[in-house]
Amino acid sequence: GQSTLNILIVSGWALLPLVAFSALSIKTVGMKYGAMPNADEAPEPTLGGEGPRRNRKLNDQWLDETVCFGLKRRFVVPASAQAFFIGTLLANGMTVRYFSLYYTQIMKFDPIQLCALNVVARLWIAGFVQVIKPLLPKIGRTPLCLI
């Protein structure tokens, strides 16, 4: 009710100095702006380097372990990372029109692969809608949207 809203508003105002401090503590990156390099400007690690970054090869035995639904870790980890990344993009308000840019610029899809991805995505959505349609009368439209 109204008291809950008031608590949320007051706590938000109470946290405002912390938000201001955090915003003012942000450091710029990039040699153009300061002394801290960004990811593109950082030097590549050398093969004979010292410390924990020296041996960067992944263990094949660890990668070949079966971890989920009979799938090997070398597939599950990157697939789940991509799925969660796309979910994060959607949750942060990334609209569908930017996915083409993401797949062509970052994932290096060619036009045929991008077209195939769009076709498969539309068919997957259409098929999934048909599969869950019988649940509509049982649980209602709003809970079904959350599925």
Side-chain angles (χ1 to χ4, degrees):
Q2 187 65 30
S3 62
T4 305
L5 180 63
N6 289 338
I7 291 171
L8 290 173
I9 290 173
V10 169
S11 64
W13 281 105
L15 291 174
L16 191 60
L18 179 63
V19 172
F21 175 74
S22 298
L24 294 173
S25 298
I26 294 174
K27 295 192 181 339
T28 57
V29 294
M31 300 306 280
K32 183 175 165 182
Y33 303 108
M36 186 182 299
N38 65 20
D40 295 331
E41 297 168 340
E44 290 290 324
T46 59
L47 291 176
E50 297 178 8
R53 297 179 73 164
R54 185 171 175 222
N55 186 4
R56 300 189 74 182
K57 185 170 179 349
L58 293 174
N59 185 345
D60 285 329
Q61 181 182 1
W62 181 80
L63 289 171
D64 289 332
E65 286 180 14
T66 302
V67 290
C68 185
F69 302 113
L71 298 171
K72 293 182 179 180
R73 183 177 277 132
R74 74 173 62 237
F75 174 76
V76 171
V77 170
S80 61
Q82 282 297 323
F84 287 122
F85 178 66
I86 291 172
T88 302
L89 292 176
L90 288 172
N92 288 330
M94 181 158 168
T95 59
V96 176
R97 65 185 150 176
Y98 294 111
F99 280 115
S100 297
L101 289 172
Y102 169 73
Y103 283 112
T104 56
Q105 299 299 313
I106 304 299
M107 300 298 291
K108 305 295 184 201
F109 276 30
D110 62 21
I112 293 173
Q113 290 173 317
L114 188 61
C115 183
L117 177 69
N118 284 321
V119 167
V120 169
R122 300 305 184 261
L123 290 173
W124 177 260
I125 291 168
F128 191 71
V129 166
Q130 296 304 317
V131 168
I132 64 171
K133 193 183 255 185
L135 294 175
L136 182 63
K138 295 177 183 170
I139 65 173
R141 185 177 304 259
T142 303
L144 195 59
C145 287
L146 296 175
I147 294 175

